[in-house]
Amino acid sequence: HGRLVAERGTRHPKNVLEQEVPLVRQHEGRTVVLGHLLLQADLSLARTQALRAAGISLAFSAVMATIVSLAIFWLIRSMVSRHLAATALHFQTVRVGAEEVGFEPLKLDKRWAGDELDVLCLAVNHMQERLASTYAQACRSERQAQTLARFPEENPNPVLRVNADGLLGYANQASRSFMEHIGGELGKPLPEPYQSIVEVAVKTGEVQSFEVECGACVYAFVLRPVLPGGDVN
């Protein structure tokens, strides 16, 4: 009959969400309206509570993200970073001497698990073995080359080289008297008939020989072509 039966809370005239719901019951097959229920929601209060809940949720998420980040950092530090740092320090301890490369095998402070770090350790040690072998071979080759380079100067007999252009490119100290005898000069072709013999050696690729009387000495020369470069020793 339009009178208020019950009320809870404070009614607000504005800034509210309002919903009116009829109260009915079934009686002898008829729907009897008992009254109406008026519901109001304070939007300001709802907004405040929603913001508070969102703030709490964001703070909780931030704390959890920080905890997870610290946990991930610790795991990476303990499982990966320290091993990579140990690997970098290992490379800094490599010793290169005159005869060899000093390599200590890389050992990581962890149990063998067959993971990427273990594979890296195996690869580094294999690379070190290959480098040590290659460096030792290079040192041997360098010593051999130095020995061969000294050989013409140490040889008491004349040693000459005519390059691919047919010019005299090298003559050791023992060749001085011979060069003066035939009138030969570095950077120029050998005088005839020696230059023709050189050309035959280059064209045929076969060893040639000739003799030259030089004062009280007789030099027996052997011309050996160096193919495919075209030089003649």
Side-chain angles (χ1 to χ4, degrees):
H1 301 285
R3 61 187 182 87
L4 180 63
V5 175
E7 183 177 20
R8 182 174 181 83
T10 304
R11 181 178 297 188
H12 297 278
K14 59 181 180 178
N15 200 22
V16 295
L17 181 64
E18 190 174 273
Q19 178 70 35
E20 186 174 336
V21 180
L23 299 177
V24 298
R25 68 181 295 269
Q26 297 295 326
H27 178 69
E28 295 180 355
R30 303 186 294 113
T31 300
V32 180
V33 178
L34 302 179
H36 293 83
L37 177 63
L38 180 63
L39 302 174
Q40 278 191 342
D42 189 342
L43 294 180
S44 299
L45 179 60
R47 188 181 300 109
T48 301
Q49 292 176 345
L51 291 175
R52 184 183 297 111
I56 294 174
S57 177
L58 289 175
F60 178 77
S61 299
V63 171
M64 292 302 298
T66 302
I67 294 174
V68 171
S69 299
L70 291 175
I72 293 175
F73 172 79
W74 181 82
L75 288 175
I76 293 176
R77 175 68 180 84
S78 62
M79 298 177 63
V80 178
S81 297
R82 67 187 183 94
H83 298 304
L84 294 179
T87 303
L89 181 62
H90 172 79
F91 282 117
Q92 295 175 1
T93 61
V94 175
R95 301 183 306 277
V96 180
E99 298 293 333
E100 61 181 357
V101 181
F103 283 122
E104 292 291 336
L106 174 61
K107 297 180 181 179
L108 300 179
D109 184 19
K110 64 184 291 293
R111 289 185 178 182
W112 173 264
D115 55 15
E116 290 81 357
L117 291 173
D118 292 326
V119 173
L120 173 63
C121 183
L122 291 177
V124 168
N125 290 331
H126 179 66
M127 179 190 67
Q128 290 182 165
E129 294 175 1
R130 294 287 300 274
L131 285 176
S133 175
T134 301
Y135 187 77
Q137 183 177 358
C139 288
R140 290 193 297 268
S141 299
E142 183 179 2
R143 289 195 300 271
Q144 183 179 6
Q146 292 173 350
T147 301
L148 293 176
R150 290 195 307 268
F151 171 73
E153 292 298 331
E154 297 172 350
N155 196 328
N157 299 311
V159 178
L160 307 166
R161 166 166 283 203
V162 178
N163 60 31
D165 296 326
L167 305 179
L168 183 61
Y170 173 80
N172 66 349
Q173 291 295 327
S175 305
R176 179 177 300 176
S177 60
F178 169 73
M179 294 284 289
E180 293 176 352
H181 177 75
I182 68 172
E185 297 182 26
L186 290 176
K188 295 183 178 180
L190 286 174
E192 292 294 347
Y194 314 113
Q195 186 65 23
S196 296
I197 302 176
V198 171
E199 293 175 357
V200 172
V202 173
K203 291 178 180 179
T204 63
E206 298 177 354
V207 175
Q208 306 293 317
S209 62
F210 63 88
E211 294 184 355
V212 179
E213 292 186 7
C214 184
C217 299
V218 177
Y219 292 113
F221 281 90
V222 176
L223 284 74
R224 188 175 305 275
V226 181
L227 302 176
D231 296 343
V232 175
N233 291 336

